Amino acid sequence: ALTLALYSGIILTTVLILFQEPLLQLILGTNLMSSTSAYASSFLIVRALAAPAVLCISASTGILRGYLDTTTPIYILVGANILNLALDYVLIVGPFHLGPMGAAIATTTAEWISAITFLLLLANGK
């Protein structure tokens, strides 16, 4: 399940990056201001990089549910959300002022740290 999740995430990342412009036009319409389009494009690219992590998290929580462990995923995901909130503050409001790109970086970082935590936990025999 984890291998399938990672490969599917890599494929999804590739598709999202390669077809970002038609996807954004489909979702947001063709009457976009250039600044809006630039924000959306950069946001999509950074968020697309998290696709393998998101699918890995989903598969990992399923595996742990199979072991009848529902508390470990909650702790990991609460920690990831706290990290995301802190990074959002630092990257959006704090000293960096990255705007939407900061939100994308914060969320992607928190998701990858969460995915790696799950993988390490499962690799160590959970």
Side-chain angles (χ1 to χ4, degrees):
L2 290 172
T3 303
L4 178 63
L6 290 172
Y7 284 135
S8 297
I10 291 168
I11 292 168
L12 181 59
T13 296
T14 304
V15 168
L16 288 171
I17 290 173
L18 290 178
F19 297 105
Q20 69 175 308
E21 288 195 28
L23 287 169
L24 288 174
Q25 285 179 351
L26 178 68
I27 294 168
L28 302 174
T30 56
N31 298 330
L32 292 176
M33 297 183 335
S34 62
S35 63
T36 304
S37 180
Y39 281 133
S41 181
S42 61
F43 186 87
L44 178 62
I45 290 171
V46 173
R47 290 299 296 129
L49 296 174
V54 170
L55 295 176
C56 178
I57 291 166
S58 182
S60 297
T61 57
I63 291 168
L64 290 171
R65 272 194 313 265
Y67 289 135
L68 302 177
D69 182 358
T70 56
T71 51
T72 301
I74 289 173
Y75 289 131
I76 293 171
L77 295 175
V78 166
N81 279 291
I82 291 169
L83 174 63
N84 187 16
L85 182 64
L87 289 173
D88 276 340
Y89 179 77
V90 170
L91 296 175
I92 299 170
V93 180
F96 294 102
H97 299 288
L98 295 176
M101 177 64 88
I105 292 169
T107 304
T108 299
T109 301
E111 287 172 341
W112 271 108
I113 289 173
S114 178
I116 291 167
T117 303
F118 275 115
L119 290 174
L120 290 172
L121 179 75
L122 291 170
N124 288 327
K126 180 65 179 175

